[in-house]
Amino acid sequence: MSDSRTPVSAPTPVTPADETPAIGPHRRGVQFRQTHPLALAPVTPPPNTVDGFVKEFLHELNTDLGVALSRSSINDQYTALAHTVRNYLTARWLETGRKQREGYPKSVAYLSAEYLLGRQLGNNLLAANLSDIAEKALHSCGLSLATLRAQEVEPGLGNGGLGRLAACFIDSLATMNVPCIGYGIRYEYGIFRQTFVDGEQVEQPDSWLALGNPWEIAHPESAVQVNFGGSTETYDDNGVERTRWVPAWNVLGVPYNYMVPGYLNGRVNTLRLWSAQATQAFDLNIFNAGDYAQAVRAQTFAENISKVLYPEDSTPQGKELRLQQQYFFVACSLRDFIDGQGRDFDLRDLPERVIFQLNDTHPVIAVPELMRILLDERGLDWDEAWAVTSKCFAYTCHTLLPEALEVWSVELLGRLLPRHLEIIYRINDEFLDLVRETWPDDYLRLGRMSIIAEYPDRGVRMAFLATVAGIKVNGVAALHSQLLRDKVLNDFAELWPEKFTNVTNGVTPRRFMKLANPHLSDLITDAIGSGWVTDLERLQELAPLADDPDFRAAFTEAKHANKILLRDHLRVRDEIELPTDQMLDVMVKRLHEYKRQTLKLLHIVSTYEQIASGKVKAADITPRTFVFGAKAAPGYRMAKQIIHLINAVGSVVNSDPLVEGRLKIFFPANYNVTLAERLIPAADLSEQISLAGMEASGTGNMKFALNGALTIGTDDGANVEIRELVGDDNFFLFGMDEPKVADLGAKGYHPGEYYESNPQLKATLDLIASGHFSGGDPMTFEPVVSNLVHHDRFMALADFGSYVEAQHRVDALYADPDAWTRSAILNVARCGFFSSDRSMKDYIKRIWGTNPVL
């Protein structure tokens, strides 16, 4: 892995022709001898004392920001604090890089289009053991650490579970002393900022960089040139016919480094994100001629590549921009890693230095890119290049939905990356030769397994390419991996059964317990000691305490304290007055029909309808506060209509005196990691209700269980493993399992039959259809109702009866506080398996073959 300060080979526009990029004290090829003791000594952090911290903080405030404490703004203070913490980490970061270069151990290069990091200040203080010192130091300066922490803007670098998982994984690898560099894109505007106007989602730009980002370090001198378009040509290389790419245009990728500290171990790994810039950003002649917009056109065009996370791809231009993004960041990343190995390194040995982990299909274009580098730039023959490439990649699949497996049109790939398409064609030709050899007369199989799809349009199946090239293919939960082998990639699993494995996801206990839930964390530490933070299986020691009345009382008190913190947070953030004396029933995740927020809403409306119609007395209903958090993709019309319906139901229910004190519904806008850190510790009930066989894993389900919420869920994704670990008595199971879902789909699913046969369900849908939640207008939510009654792809109506019955079991258990708390403690005690540290150990053992560096 290259050091954070080690430049890679930069293109001409960055480095003047008469200068060579140099490492260390060089100038024009002349090396100067270091004589000063400080130049020879290791980099040292500031003193680990309150006075040392104050001195460093004031130095940053005064000299870096140029402001006195008495005249500083809150943003000045936050920036100086962030730089101070960064300075403490820098010495460890540089030392990590030095050790890396000494032995060049095998590294993990994690390629991910998303990193949903969350706020960095609290996590970095925790990892460096500086929280108490920083709080005392700032207090002595008349400042509040809590106030400055609230100033931080969350990096908008991810959309949901995929990015949150990537952030957990790089945290765990640093904590476990495993060499790792994360690679991704520095999006100028992250996932949109969600607001509600009349209950409907409105997307606003997420200007997370508006005030700068003190955690990143830019290295424009280490920029990488990335080419696009053009054509290919063959030429003679001493009797060997070779191919080269003649691109039509290019951009620069500028690296921004982020430190990824391990927890209390001194290791600091690197997250390197790439920002796109033009190679010729400004044309002075055009500017002087008066065409100011044209003068910066190249800059605007180039910067679009890293402008927005997941640009809307319903247009041809949007699709092209997405492919540009994906190739841009993997081309930068591969070049960066390879150049960091030194000029004399033999790339035939690259599999001994790195494993590139493909986090879903977004980075799979890295496969032909590595082949191109080996073939066209380093002169390896095809067999040599493929022998290297086929040992350097591993692929994690995160979906079971066919539409989520990327397929790029041959026309677009050929126009944007012509050399890569040629390489993909040859990979496919040789792969199909193997298929023919294995199954000589099975012509239909050839079509099913071809990397190139022929129908409805010619396209490159990126999941197939990753499977052919990867040393391993893994799913992210036991059920998901089984379905991946049996259904999604079954032909490939039949050809290479040894290539398929499972690594169940996990979450970092540092952020999602220690940092997010100090009340529970302190209780756990008092009970079993502090070692559980890096050895989460030790939570099993809490199991006997589930029967201890004093521990149960303390656990209940911690949960209540978290509800108060959440109430205070939402009061300021959203002007929401959250009850703290009711069951907190939470469903937070991306808004997608398969996740079935509609099923949760049908339960709420059903409960409300039964009270409003007099079938049930309000006094007989368990008081509940329902909280939703979800964003819908801007082009996903049905998802946005569901959000509108949730907000409309909430508006009516919350203002109806008939259910006052019994039902409340809240949907705080712009759900993110920061809100999750407040909401998850406060939750009583975790809604994990996707249709069985649809959710790959989920990680929210793990976070809720580890923080003492009980789960109501289907046997889907990692729910299966949660239920097996915590026991049926401590999990509210409902609904069809995956085989029954498949069987019902095969027989023909008719949701209208469930609507007609279940009076409670019919009354619920009829109330929505009547316009009760839309000011009497029955057409407002007609698309949602019609979709459920006539289509219901994800079988919410089929599972409704079972779901309502399970909710009755929830009410019964909640009516016995001791029994509920006992189950909640057992959820915490038995879910240590879901640490991302364990996930990393599984990746190391089953896929990567890397080792910690001590």
Side-chain angles (χ1 to χ4, degrees):
M1 187 195 317
S2 59
D3 174 78
S4 59
R5 298 280 180 175
T6 303
V8 299
S9 299
T12 301
V14 175
T15 305
D18 61 342
E19 291 191 19
T20 302
I23 300 171
H26 294 69
R27 177 67 176 172
R28 296 183 185 274
V30 179
Q31 183 168 1
F32 299 96
R33 189 164 61 89
Q34 302 170 48
T35 58
H36 197 285
L38 291 178
L40 296 168
V43 179
T44 56
N48 207 37
T49 62
V50 171
D51 289 345
F53 196 98
V54 169
K55 183 177 180 180
E56 193 71 16
F57 171 73
L58 294 176
H59 176 79
E60 287 293 332
L61 193 63
N62 301 154
T63 64
D64 188 53
L65 300 179
V67 63
L69 177 60
S70 60
R71 301 290 296 170
S72 61
S73 67
I74 292 180
N75 190 63
D76 291 331
Q77 296 158 14
Y78 161 71
T79 302
L81 173 59
H83 284 172
T84 300
V85 177
R86 199 180 77 180
N87 291 347
Y88 277 87
L89 294 173
T90 298
R92 306 172 192 183
W93 189 38
L94 297 176
E95 180 65 10
T96 298
R98 183 190 66 78
K99 290 181 178 179
Q100 197 78 3
R101 292 188 303 275
E102 282 182 353
Y104 284 107
K106 185 173 182 178
S107 299
V108 177
Y110 201 78
L111 302 177
S112 180
E114 297 184 41
Y115 289 92
L116 199 56
L117 300 171
R119 289 175 171 174
Q120 295 295 285
L121 177 58
N123 188 71
N124 290 345
L125 286 169
L126 179 68
N129 199 25
L130 286 170
S131 300
D132 289 343
I133 287 175
E135 187 163 16
K136 292 174 182 176
L138 292 171
H139 186 265
S140 70
C141 295
L143 303 175
S144 162
L145 175 58
T147 300
L148 298 190
R149 285 180 62 175
Q151 177 68 18
E152 183 172 0
V153 177
E154 182 176 316
L157 298 168
N159 179 39
L162 187 78
R164 185 57 248 164
L165 186 75
C168 286
F169 281 6
I170 60 175
D171 170 271
S172 283
L173 288 169
T175 296
M176 295 165 62
N177 276 301
V178 175
C180 171
I181 182 165
Y183 284 117
I185 301 176
R186 180 183 178 267
Y187 301 101
E188 184 177 342
Y189 295 95
I191 186 65
F192 62 86
R193 181 173 182 81
Q194 181 191 52
T195 59
F196 296 134
V197 177
D198 297 328
E200 297 187 67
Q201 173 178 294
V202 175
E203 300 91 26
Q204 296 182 340
D206 177 21
S207 306
W208 71 282
L209 288 169
L211 295 177
N213 180 13
W215 300 106
E216 65 184 18
I217 301 174
H219 286 285
E221 79 287 354
S222 299
V224 175
Q225 183 169 299
V226 180
N227 298 317
F228 293 96
S231 60
T232 64
E233 63 183 21
T234 58
Y235 67 98
D236 181 85
D237 180 18
N238 295 322
V240 178
E241 185 180 272
R242 295 196 178 277
T243 303
R244 62 185 161 215
W245 181 14
V246 184
W249 55 280
N250 51 50
V251 300
L252 294 179
V254 176
Y256 286 75
N257 291 323
Y258 292 68
M259 299 181 199
V260 183
Y263 178 68
L264 305 182
N265 67 352
R267 183 175 189 89
V268 182
N269 283 336
T270 301
L271 171 63
R272 187 159 298 155
L273 304 178
W274 300 96
S275 180
Q277 295 185 7
T279 51
Q280 301 291 339
F282 180 73
D283 192 311
L284 183 60
N285 291 330
I286 294 177
F287 184 85
N288 287 336
D291 193 344
Y292 305 135
Q294 182 65 23
V296 295
R297 181 178 180 277
Q299 178 179 352
T300 302
F301 184 77
E303 291 178 356
N304 282 342
I305 292 176
S306 57
K307 184 71 71 175
V308 178
L309 169 68
Y310 293 159
E312 172 59 41
D313 65 349
S314 60
T315 64
Q317 297 91 333
K319 288 184 172 65
E320 183 167 346
L321 183 55
R322 280 212 186 188
L323 183 55
Q324 288 174 8
Q325 283 187 336
Q326 293 180 8
Y327 177 66
F328 165 75
F329 100 83
V330 300
C332 289
S333 303
L334 264 61
R335 176 69 64 192
D336 177 70
F337 191 91
I338 289 171
D339 287 354
Q341 305 311 298
R343 295 184 182 275
D344 297 331
F345 177 66
D346 188 342
L347 285 182
R348 294 173 183 85
D349 297 327
L350 190 62
E352 298 175 12
R353 289 281 178 90
V354 69
I355 181 71
F356 292 105
Q357 185 66 39
L358 304 170
N359 193 30
D360 220 355
T361 51
H362 310 119
V364 173
I365 196 67
V367 171
E369 171 66 2
L370 181 56
M371 286 293 289
R372 186 194 67 81
I373 292 170
L374 297 173
L375 292 168
D376 301 352
E377 297 183 8
R378 298 302 180 96
L380 274 64
D381 65 32
W382 180 272
D383 290 341
E384 289 177 317
W386 184 248
V388 173
T389 300
S390 60
K391 294 185 182 71
C392 282
F393 291 99
Y395 166 50
T396 300
C397 179
H398 286 275
T399 188
L400 291 166
L401 297 173
E403 60 266 33
L405 296 172
E406 287 184 312
V407 178
W408 290 112
S409 78
V410 163
E411 185 278 328
L412 174 58
L413 246 173
R415 177 161 44 85
L416 203 62
L417 302 169
R419 179 58 176 143
H420 299 73
L421 183 58
E422 291 179 352
I423 291 170
I424 291 168
Y425 273 135
R426 181 162 177 185
I427 291 172
N428 191 47
D429 288 342
E430 298 201 354
F431 169 63
L432 291 182
D433 286 342
L434 173 62
V435 176
R436 288 188 191 94
E437 185 180 313
T438 309
W439 295 283
D441 301 317
D442 194 342
Y443 300 108
L444 290 178
R445 188 185 293 266
L446 285 174
R448 292 200 309 267
M449 298 185 72
S450 175
I451 296 170
I452 308 298
E454 300 293 339
Y455 180 84
D457 300 299
R458 297 201 83 205
V460 178
R461 297 158 160 163
M462 303 307 282
F464 287 17
L465 177 59
T467 302
V468 171
I471 58 168
K472 291 285 184 180
V473 177
N474 74 281
V476 289
L479 176 62
H480 174 242
S481 295
Q482 177 189 330
L483 294 174
L484 200 62
R485 289 189 298 265
D486 295 347
K487 294 190 175 184
V488 180
L489 297 171
N490 56 306
D491 287 316
F492 294 89
E494 191 175 351
L495 177 63
W496 292 309
E498 74 287 348
K499 187 175 278 197
F500 286 77
T501 190
N502 172 64
V503 178
T504 298
N505 285 341
V507 301
T508 169
R510 269 75 62 184
R511 180 177 290 275
F512 287 106
M513 293 188 74
K514 182 71 174 173
L515 189 64
N517 197 345
H519 292 294
L520 178 60
S521 296
D522 290 346
L523 181 62
I524 294 171
T525 298
D526 289 344
I528 65 173
S530 60
W532 64 271
V533 180
T534 53
D535 182 8
L536 207 59
E537 294 282 5
R538 283 198 55 200
L539 292 180
Q540 296 176 28
E541 298 171 32
L542 295 173
L545 296 174
D547 294 314
D548 183 330
D550 292 338
F551 189 82
R552 286 201 303 267
F555 189 93
T556 300
E557 185 179 338
K559 180 66 71 173
H560 185 68
N562 286 327
K563 288 183 178 181
I564 292 173
L565 288 175
L566 176 63
R567 179 202 64 192
D568 295 345
H569 183 75
L570 290 177
R571 181 181 288 164
V572 174
R573 182 188 189 272
D574 301 276
E575 297 182 347
I576 288 174
E577 281 297 324
L578 186 89
T580 60
D581 58 350
Q582 298 182 1
M583 181 198 302
L584 187 58
D585 184 340
V586 179
M587 188 172 189
V588 287
K589 50 187 79 246
R590 183 166 48 91
L591 202 302
H592 196 292
E593 287 170 274
Y594 87 80
K595 294 177 183 289
R596 302 202 295 190
Q597 283 90 349
T598 47
L599 180 56
K600 174 74 262 174
L601 186 62
L602 289 174
H603 167 243
I604 297 171
V605 174
S606 172
T607 305
Y608 173 75
E609 189 279 331
Q610 288 186 312
I611 296 173
S613 64
K615 299 175 189 134
V616 175
K617 293 180 181 178
D620 294 336
I621 296 294
T622 301
R624 289 204 204 194
T625 298
F626 303 96
V627 175
F628 290 87
K631 293 182 180 181
Y636 192 170
R637 182 169 177 78
M638 180 54 65
K640 296 176 80 169
Q641 290 174 326
I642 292 168
I643 285 177
H644 186 196
L645 177 56
I646 294 170
N647 280 324
V649 171
S651 179
V652 170
V653 170
N654 292 349
S655 61
D656 191 334
L658 192 63
V659 294
E660 181 63 34
R662 293 291 156 178
L663 300 178
K664 287 289 184 182
I665 305 168
F666 297 112
F667 197 148
N670 205 49
Y671 178 69
N672 57 13
V673 177
T674 303
L675 178 55
E677 290 173 9
R678 282 284 175 259
L679 182 55
I680 291 171
D684 294 304
L685 187 66
S686 165
E687 300 275 351
Q688 308 297 330
I689 59 177
S690 54
L691 178 65
M694 293 291 111
E695 184 70 81
S697 169
T699 53
N701 47 5
M702 304 169 188
K703 296 165 194 167
F704 280 105
L706 282 165
N707 281 277
L710 302 191
T711 303
I712 182 169
T714 52
D715 253 347
D716 195 29
N719 287 359
V720 177
E721 289 151 280
I722 291 176
R723 183 174 62 83
E724 290 173 349
L725 287 167
V726 305
D728 286 339
D729 292 343
N730 305 300
F731 186 104
F732 302 103
L733 177 67
F734 77 94
M736 298 175 288
D737 60 15
E738 191 278 332
K740 289 180 181 177
V741 169
D743 184 57
L744 180 57
K747 290 178 179 176
Y749 173 54
H750 304 289
E753 295 176 359
Y754 292 86
Y755 165 76
E756 295 291 351
S757 63
N758 186 326
Q760 186 176 349
L761 175 59
K762 188 177 189 302
T764 299
L765 286 164
D766 287 349
L767 186 63
I768 298 171
S770 71
H772 184 81
F773 301 107
S774 47
D777 181 3
M779 298 309 295
T780 302
F781 299 116
E782 188 276 337
V784 178
V785 175
S786 290
N787 182 57
L788 286 170
V789 174
H790 300 297
H791 302 289
D792 192 20
R793 179 184 171 193
F794 299 105
M795 303 182 180
L797 303 196
D799 273 346
F800 175 80
S802 176
Y803 181 57
V804 169
E805 189 279 326
Q807 290 288 2
H808 291 324
R809 286 186 275 124
V810 170
D811 289 337
L813 187 63
Y814 195 76
D816 184 343
D818 277 344
W820 181 278
T821 303
R822 182 181 184 278
S823 286
I825 293 169
L826 289 175
N827 266 258
V828 177
R830 294 172 179 174
C831 281
F833 172 80
F834 296 107
S835 169
S836 51
D837 298 349
R838 188 271 314 150
S839 296
M840 294 300 90
K841 290 175 184 176
D842 287 348
Y843 272 99
I844 289 167
K845 179 180 178 182
R846 300 172 188 175
I847 301 173
W848 296 338
T850 52
N851 292 298
V853 175
L854 303 177

